Amino acid sequence: MATEHATEQAQIGNFYRERAKDFVELHDQVQTSVTLLDNLESFLSTFQKDLAAVAGQISELQDRSKDIDSRLKSRKRIERPLSSLLSEITIPPPLAAIILDTNVGEPWIDAIIDFERRLVKSRARTRVKAARDLAEVIEGLRIVAATKLRAFFTALFQPIRGSVTTNMQVIQTSVLLKYSPLYAFLQRHAPNVALELQRSYIGAARLYYETGFRRYIRSLNVIKGRTTDKFESIVNIKSDANIHLERLQHAKIDGPGVTLAYMADDKTHKEYVESLLRSLLLVFMDNATAEYSFVSTFFAPQRSLPPAEPRPPLPASASILSPDGGTFTEPLSGTDSDFGAQNPLSSTTPGLGGFVSFVAKSKEELAVIDGLWKSIMDPVMEYCQAFVRSIVDPIPPTIPLLTMIRLAEDVVAEVQRRHCPPAESYVFGLSLNMWPVFQKGMTEHIDSLKKLAEGTSSGYFSRAMTTTDATVSAVCEQYVAFFNSFVFLTDNEAENMIFSNLLRLRQEVAKLITKHTSQGNDTLARAKAQSTIYGLLLQGLSKGTHHTAHLKLQQEIAHWAYLEEETKRKIVSAGQSRQGR
């Protein structure tokens, strides 16, 4: 047992001795590991401290990040308004260069609109220091713009003042209306300059129309002097008793061409007086309505800048009759013309209006527009009034006079459609002034018939008158011409002024026929004479006009047909009486 134990111990000893080196190495490794662990522990302890410090810095950075993010959001919220403010109150160099360094032209239209928006915004931002700092710069640009625009528009008005051959409507529609936003800028931001330009235009346009119409009416008077038509009572008219449809056509706007000024140079050229008045009224209508449309558009007050939107294309220049037909070559008369110098307009702004479509306006604005128009057209209306007075005094023939009245009424209706209230009132006044002359002429016709029937003397007769078959037939033919012409010129069957006079005239004609046929004692002869005259009247009434459906014409034919039927019964009765004897 002991030996085995010793052996075992020896083996164990050998085992450890053989591995002693390994154990030493293992011990060294353990020591190294312990050292490393100590170092690692120290490192971890330091790292923990550093990590705590980093965590504190990260927390601080997070707080700063949140603060920066909040500030960023705040700045983003004001970025757009601030950008808008800066863009509104600042003047871009290209915009300033256009105003300062270029002449007024089409680029100015958009530039001035842009500048005005910035000007208005700058004035509304007076609490902003930047806007106050820029105020002097913007005001300087405004003054420069107003100065250049004044010179620009003054130059545009010069051709109107300089020559009557200038095409006024082309300048208005193709030039002035195109630059109307520039004038609107002056109205809002340089009202004194706008008023000066307004007065300048009124003076130029007044002189233009005054000169043109004075020369045109002078030519019409030359042609009128060659006209031989004079008023004659119905018993003394020697002219053809047929209805003259070519002359009645002058009662409408649509009809023959107008008389041009150069036609007066032809000494053989003649025109009926109603043709001359029609030419004058058509020329007046076209120019007056075109001028009213322009004035109510160009000089319309612009209280605020219109919203930005694409501008519609300008209306094409309409074909408008000019007083001279494009033939005048003389220079315009000076300011000391027949109607004196132009009076400056007292109002500062005209009314609203539209060149193409009518825009509702207040009474005050309409009054200002009407005042502007009258300041321009007053001399023209005086010339036209004088021409009409020369036509109706002395009294013209009755049928041409009624033709001219109907023409004036048709012109009034057309002017009303074109919406030119002062011209409408003016032409309507001309029409009203002609009605008393018409009534006076009809009264003379009726009185002359009455005197003829009574056998008393008339203005052309120095002794008692006796009627003949030829005289009565001529009177009846003239009556038919009167009636047919009046029916042709009168669409309204209830017009009392016309048909009451015709009724009085008919009564006197009937009396004349009765008086003339009652001169003999033979009943049959009297009845036959009356029947012949009534047949003459019926034939003329039936064939004299195309207005056979007119109620008054039908009633007139029925009246004379009834009288003719009565005379035929008398003829039959008288014939039977003779046979009975």
Side-chain angles (χ1 to χ4, degrees):
M1 285 291 295
T3 303
E4 290 179 359
H5 179 72
T7 301
E8 183 178 354
Q9 287 294 324
Q11 290 177 347
I12 292 171
N14 292 334
F15 174 80
Y16 283 109
R17 281 191 297 272
E18 290 176 357
R19 290 172 173 79
K21 186 179 181 180
D22 294 335
F23 290 141
V24 172
E25 291 178 358
L26 178 60
H27 179 269
D28 292 339
Q29 290 177 359
V30 170
Q31 289 296 324
T32 302
S33 297
V34 170
T35 302
L36 290 174
L37 287 174
D38 291 338
N39 293 337
L40 180 61
E41 181 182 8
S42 176
F43 174 78
L44 290 175
S45 176
T46 304
F47 176 76
Q48 187 177 13
K49 293 177 181 179
D50 294 341
L51 187 60
V54 169
Q57 293 176 356
I58 290 175
S59 177
E60 182 182 351
L61 289 175
Q62 286 178 340
D63 293 338
R64 292 179 60 189
S65 176
K66 290 178 181 180
D67 181 58
I68 292 173
D69 186 58
S70 176
R71 292 166 60 187
L72 178 61
K73 289 180 179 179
S74 299
R75 292 185 178 182
K76 284 184 176 180
R77 281 196 298 269
I78 67 171
E79 178 183 8
R80 182 170 298 176
L82 181 61
S83 174
S84 176
L85 172 63
L86 293 176
S87 64
E88 289 171 353
I89 66 174
T90 56
I91 306 297
L95 176 59
I98 290 177
I99 296 175
L100 295 173
D101 301 334
T102 65
N103 295 324
V104 179
E106 290 189 24
W108 272 60
I109 298 175
D110 293 331
I112 286 296
I113 292 175
D114 185 18
F115 172 70
E116 184 177 5
R117 295 186 191 281
R118 298 173 186 275
L119 173 62
V120 171
K121 294 293 185 180
S122 176
R123 289 177 175 176
R125 303 281 189 173
T126 54
R127 297 176 60 184
V128 180
K129 184 178 183 301
R132 293 196 301 271
D133 294 341
L134 288 171
E136 293 184 2
V137 176
I138 295 177
E139 179 65 14
L141 289 174
R142 183 195 68 83
I143 294 173
V144 171
T147 303
K148 287 190 174 183
L149 289 176
R150 176 186 177 278
F152 174 73
F153 281 111
T154 301
L156 291 182
F157 298 157
Q158 187 57 39
I160 300 174
R161 185 184 295 275
S163 174
V164 77
T165 58
T166 300
N167 192 321
M168 171 74 92
Q169 282 70 42
V170 169
I171 290 180
Q172 289 175 342
T173 58
S174 300
V175 181
L176 292 177
L177 283 180
K178 179 172 67 174
Y179 292 109
S180 59
L182 303 183
Y183 182 79
F185 168 80
L186 293 176
Q187 284 182 307
R188 290 187 288 266
H189 303 288
N192 292 335
V193 176
L195 178 59
E196 179 186 352
L197 291 175
Q198 182 187 98
R199 290 174 174 172
S200 176
Y201 173 81
I202 289 173
R206 179 186 176 99
L207 182 60
Y208 174 87
Y209 288 117
E210 185 268 340
T211 304
F213 272 89
R214 173 166 49 81
R215 296 171 185 172
Y216 183 55
I217 293 175
R218 183 175 61 197
S219 298
L220 295 183
N221 278 320
V222 171
I223 299 175
K224 183 168 70 71
R226 302 168 187 155
T227 304
T228 58
D229 283 350
K230 294 182 179 180
F231 178 84
E232 293 177 320
S233 64
I234 190 171
V235 300
N236 295 313
I237 297 177
K238 301 298 189 294
S239 60
D240 184 8
N242 293 325
I243 182 172
H244 298 284
L245 293 176
E246 72 281 0
R247 297 188 65 173
L248 299 181
Q249 298 298 329
H250 292 100
K252 296 291 183 182
I253 292 177
D254 297 329
V258 299
T259 303
L260 302 180
Y262 75 88
M263 295 179 179
D265 298 335
D266 182 0
K267 295 182 179 180
T268 62
H269 182 78
K270 295 181 179 181
E271 292 278 358
Y272 297 116
V273 65
E274 60 268 35
S275 172
L276 299 177
L277 181 63
R278 177 176 174 272
S279 298
L280 177 60
L281 289 184
L282 291 186
V283 172
F284 172 80
M285 176 185 68
D286 278 352
N287 285 274
T289 55
E291 188 62 30
Y292 189 86
S293 296
F294 171 76
V295 167
S296 62
T297 301
F298 187 80
F299 294 108
Q302 303 291 332
R303 296 182 178 87
S304 60
L305 187 65
E309 59 183 9
R311 292 191 303 278
L314 292 173
S317 176
S319 176
I320 298 178
L321 297 173
S322 67
D324 62 345
T327 61
F328 290 141
T329 56
E330 303 175 47
L332 286 172
S333 58
T335 54
D336 55 343
S337 62
D338 301 0
F339 288 91
Q342 289 72 32
N343 297 322
L345 193 65
S346 59
S347 61
T348 56
T349 55
L352 289 170
F355 195 72
V356 179
S357 61
F358 171 64
V359 179
K361 295 175 276 287
S362 67
K363 290 183 179 180
E364 293 77 10
E365 291 169 337
L366 282 174
V368 174
I369 292 175
D370 293 353
L372 289 172
W373 182 88
K374 288 177 182 178
S375 297
I376 295 171
M377 302 302 293
D378 267 343
V380 174
M381 292 189 288
E382 288 291 335
Y383 283 132
C384 294
Q385 184 75 48
F387 184 77
V388 173
R389 283 197 297 266
S390 72
I391 289 177
V392 299
D393 187 19
I395 302 175
T398 304
I399 295 175
L401 177 57
L402 182 58
T403 302
M404 291 185 285
I405 292 174
R406 295 305 188 210
L407 167 65
E409 293 173 346
D410 199 34
V411 170
V412 168
E414 178 61 24
V415 171
Q416 187 177 39
R417 283 191 291 270
R418 298 185 185 186
H419 190 78
C420 181
E424 178 186 346
S425 300
Y426 171 73
V427 180
F428 183 70
L430 296 180
S431 175
L432 287 182
N433 292 336
M434 287 189 278
W435 276 114
V437 181
F438 172 80
Q439 184 60 50
K440 182 179 179 181
M442 291 300 298
T443 301
E444 289 196 23
H445 290 306
I446 294 168
D447 290 343
S448 66
L449 276 177
K450 187 179 297 185
K451 291 176 181 179
L452 179 62
E454 293 173 353
T456 58
S457 62
S458 180
Y460 291 91
F461 299 90
S462 59
R463 59 185 176 81
M465 299 172 55
T466 58
T467 58
T468 63
D469 290 344
T471 301
V472 175
S473 296
V475 168
C476 290
E477 289 175 354
Q478 292 298 334
Y479 171 75
V480 168
F482 271 53
F483 194 93
N484 285 333
S485 298
F486 285 13
V487 166
F488 184 90
L489 294 171
T490 308
D491 296 327
N492 184 7
E493 299 167 351
E495 188 161 348
N496 186 62
M497 173 68 80
I498 298 298
F499 295 108
S500 63
N501 280 292
L502 283 176
L503 178 59
R504 294 172 60 200
L505 198 63
R506 184 179 75 183
Q507 291 171 347
E508 296 302 327
V509 170
K511 290 178 183 178
L512 176 64
I513 295 172
T514 302
K515 179 69 178 295
H516 174 70
T517 56
S518 63
Q519 294 176 0
N521 295 323
D522 189 342
T523 304
L524 181 60
R526 290 201 303 269
K528 286 183 177 180
Q530 288 181 355
S531 179
T532 301
I533 296 174
Y534 293 152
L536 178 66
L537 287 168
L538 286 172
Q539 183 179 7
L541 290 171
S542 301
K543 295 181 179 180
T545 180
H546 300 293
H547 289 58
T548 55
H550 200 285
L551 177 61
K552 292 297 182 180
L553 179 59
Q554 293 176 350
Q555 291 175 348
E556 186 72 10
I557 292 175
H559 171 77
W560 295 111
Y562 172 78
L563 293 179
E564 184 186 34
E565 188 65 27
E566 287 294 315
T567 57
K568 287 182 179 179
R569 291 195 186 98
K570 291 179 181 179
I571 292 173
V572 173
S573 176
Q576 291 175 349
S577 298
R578 287 190 176 185
Q579 290 178 358
R581 295 175 185 174

